[in-house]
Amino acid sequence: MARKAFYSFHYKPDNWRAAQVRNMGVVEGNSPISDNDWEEVKKKGEKEIQDWIDGQLRGRSCTVVLIGEKTAKRKWINYEIEKSWNSGKGLLGIYIHKLKNSAGEQAEKGANPFDSFTVGEDKKKLSDIVKAYDPPFQTSTYVYDHIKTNLEDWVEKAITIRNEYGK
């Protein structure tokens, strides 16, 4: 079954890296937004940003958080994680810091954005439930190939985990 994913990422530093993953064509993703369009959405205020995110999440079965150096604890990434989890969507992370950006640079590994959340009555850390995959390579092309080879399986696993965990 073709899955539809929402890609969550820190726009400014990781847009180039995120585009590489989104353009793999492994799972259908949300429509890319240009720099100008994103700036227009941001200018309209928080309600407009939240409405835009909610619209992008509609009809998606999974949210893929593309984890860069400064992704964790960002306000809108946190909103996307919380909204996705509470909506019963599959949720996973992929570290993308070793993919090269437009200048051919790699970045430092960022913190796990799921560490900031707890779920259930037992206050279990979301990072103990949701998988965050860190490709085991240093070379950008190998990292890319690893993500492309595994992304579909990771999405299916995330959906299974979320379904098993319940609402």
Side-chain angles (χ1 to χ4, degrees), residues 26-164:
V26 178
V27 295
E28 184 182 327
N30 51 309
S31 302
I33 187 169
S34 72
D35 289 341
N36 292 342
D37 291 342
W38 178 242
E39 290 305 318
E40 284 303 311
V41 170
K42 284 185 357 184
K43 278 184 201 173
K44 294 177 182 174
E46 294 199 0
K47 176 75 169 103
E48 185 69 25
I49 295 170
Q50 188 173 329
D51 290 347
W52 181 83
I53 292 168
D54 292 349
Q56 291 293 310
L57 283 168
R58 229 173 267 118
R60 307 292 170 192
S61 48
C62 187
T63 293
V64 179
V65 180
L66 300 174
I67 307 168
E69 189 171 347
K70 298 176 182 175
T71 304
K73 297 186 181 174
R74 299 222 22 109
K75 177 181 181 173
W76 294 113
I77 302 240
N78 286 348
Y79 176 78
E80 292 161 353
I81 290 169
E82 186 174 359
K83 179 82 174 182
S84 296
W85 182 262
N86 291 340
S87 299
K89 296 180 188 320
L91 190 58
L92 72 121
I94 302 172
Y95 287 93
I96 60 169
H97 62 287
K98 291 185 270 183
L99 289 173
K100 290 183 179 177
N101 65 11
S102 61
E105 302 164 331
Q106 293 176 316
E108 295 296 316
K109 183 177 181 179
N112 185 329
F114 307 118
D115 280 342
S116 302
F117 295 90
T118 57
V119 296
E121 291 177 16
D122 59 351
K123 299 291 185 198
K124 188 170 187 170
K125 272 184 137 180
L126 191 57
S127 58
D128 290 337
I129 302 165
V130 172
K131 305 281 186 209
Y133 299 95
D134 188 5
F137 301 102
Q138 296 303 314
T139 305
S140 183
T141 53
Y142 293 162
V143 171
Y144 176 93
D145 290 343
H146 184 76
I147 294 170
K148 187 172 183 176
T149 299
N150 292 288
L151 183 55
E152 187 174 18
D153 289 339
W154 293 342
V155 166
E156 290 302 323
K157 175 105 174 129
I159 292 167
T160 299
I161 288 169
R162 184 63 187 99
N163 289 340
E164 288 173 354

